Amino acid sequence: MLIYVLFLNLAVAFVKIIYGTLTSTLSMTADGYHSLFDGLSNIVGLAGSFIGDRPPDVEHPYGHRKYETVASIFIALLLIFVGVEILQSALNRFLSPSVPEVTAISFLIILGTMCINYLVTRYEYKQGESLRSQVLIADSMHTKSDIYVSLSVIVSLAAVKLGFPLMDPLIAIVIAFIIFRAGYRIIKEGSRDLLDMSRIEEKEICDLVMGVEGVKGCHKIRTRGSMGDIKIDMHLLVQSDMTLEDAHLISHKVSKKLKSEYKDISDVVVHLEPSSQRPQGSNSKKTS
């Protein structure tokens, strides 16, 4: 999937960079470099997906999905780097003004690349949702930012054509901030996984679990992980005179119910306790 996106991004990038450089159109050249880093991020995404799909092993008992998260954050850092470069180029244009050459071909190139980016973004995002791949979704957000960037380039080209050349570096600055925003969103989501932030509300899980026959209470519910790989551990209270076999069966029912309700849950660890035992440090439900 990412291989096809890689080739499309590289083709789009080189067309915009070459023509933008020939016509001294800063906004188009900046848009081209943005697309070029899209291609580089595809390579990072391919590597992250390949490693992240490996099964758990002795050294990585929880799997390798965090490698994919690291890859998505690296994509965001590339975005921010591009934004800084574009911002610097725009400020230099204010110090050394020049009038770019705008032709009908300029508009055709931008419109054509916008159509390609739109199709790529929709397809890549759907694949990311289907495969529960954080890196695919992050990369689709990256590619989606190209569409807004290209729209701003069209405004810039039209303004230059009408005799307002300063719109070219101004639009380049807008592009830089769009890129910064996309990078921030990716880092924010990736940090939730790396910092083991809670993924599902404790009360929400407990309300669902209490619907399983035999469950008398639940507490110490913890969730962590990333899209497609959320892990839960929790304590369940069952009847104190229940056989170990029956209690174990209840824990399986709880795990099955949670996984059927939340498609991102990959593992549920249940610790069983007798209902007569008072839970420690809990803010969840208990019945006795």
Side-chain angles (χ1 to χ4, degrees):
M1 165 63 206
L2 276 176
I3 293 177
Y4 299 115
V5 176
L6 168 62
F7 283 116
L8 284 173
N9 279 332
L10 290 178
V12 164
F14 284 122
V15 168
K16 288 188 283 192
I17 290 173
I18 291 171
Y19 198 78
T21 302
L22 290 174
T23 58
S24 298
T25 309
L26 180 60
S27 54
M28 183 184 287
T29 306
D31 191 12
Y33 279 112
H34 184 206
S35 297
L36 179 61
F37 273 89
D38 276 348
L40 294 178
S41 71
N42 293 148
I43 297 174
V44 174
L46 282 169
S49 294
F50 176 75
I51 298 173
D53 286 340
R54 292 179 180 177
D57 54 35
V58 176
E59 293 184 347
H60 305 85
Y62 291 103
H64 299 76
R65 291 297 292 268
K66 284 192 177 181
Y67 282 102
E68 187 173 322
T69 304
V70 172
S72 69
I73 290 179
F74 187 72
I75 290 173
L77 294 177
L78 287 177
L79 271 172
I80 293 172
F81 174 78
V82 174
V84 171
E85 290 295 309
I86 293 172
L87 194 59
Q88 288 179 342
S89 298
L91 294 176
N92 289 335
R93 176 62 63 86
F94 282 114
L95 297 174
S96 303
S98 62
V99 180
E101 180 185 351
V102 177
T103 66
I105 297 177
S106 303
F107 288 98
L108 289 175
I109 288 174
I110 296 299
L111 289 171
T113 56
M114 279 180 64
C115 292
I116 293 173
N117 285 332
Y118 176 75
L119 294 174
V120 167
T121 297
R122 284 183 60 86
Y123 181 64
E124 192 175 17
Y125 187 82
K126 286 182 179 179
Q127 289 295 311
E129 286 283 314
S130 174
L131 300 173
R132 313 308 294 167
S133 171
Q134 189 173 357
V135 74
L136 277 178
I137 292 177
D139 197 63
S140 72
M141 290 170 61
H142 188 175
T143 306
K144 185 179 180 181
S145 67
D146 265 358
I147 298 174
Y148 300 112
V149 169
S150 296
L151 279 172
S152 63
V153 172
I154 290 178
V155 174
S156 172
L157 294 175
V160 171
K161 195 73 173 175
L162 293 172
F164 301 98
L166 284 180
M167 281 298 293
D168 187 37
L170 282 174
I171 292 299
I173 292 175
V174 172
I175 292 172
F177 281 100
I178 290 174
I179 292 172
F180 291 147
R181 181 175 178 271
Y184 168 76
R185 290 176 63 190
I186 294 172
I187 290 175
K188 182 181 178 181
E189 178 59 30
S191 65
R192 297 185 64 191
D193 179 18
L194 295 180
L195 299 176
D196 284 336
M197 293 179 66
S198 177
R199 305 298 296 193
I200 307 173
E201 286 289 335
E202 181 180 356
K203 183 179 183 302
E204 189 176 326
I205 293 175
C206 198
D207 287 344
L208 185 66
V209 169
M210 289 298 293
V212 176
E213 185 179 358
V215 175
K216 301 299 181 180
C218 56
H219 64 113
K220 293 185 180 178
I221 299 172
R222 298 184 298 180
T223 61
R224 64 183 179 86
S226 60
M227 180 179 292
D229 188 36
I230 294 178
K231 295 175 172 59
I232 298 178
D233 60 82
M234 62 190 306
H235 289 223
L236 285 185
L237 277 72
V238 296
Q239 197 67 35
S240 58
D241 58 354
M242 182 176 288
T243 65
L244 178 61
E245 183 179 357
D246 289 340
H248 187 63
L249 180 61
I250 290 176
S251 71
H252 273 285
K253 289 180 179 179
V254 167
S255 177
K256 185 177 180 180
K257 186 166 186 176
L258 287 170
K259 289 180 178 179
S260 65
E261 185 72 19
Y262 303 100
K263 58 183 177 181
D264 286 336
I265 294 177
S266 61
D267 186 45
V268 179
V269 176
V270 176
H271 177 76
L272 296 169
E273 297 179 0
S275 62
S276 58
Q277 179 178 334
R278 186 175 183 82
Q280 301 295 319
S282 170
N283 59 354
S284 300
K285 294 183 179 180
K286 173 185 178 293
T287 58
S288 48

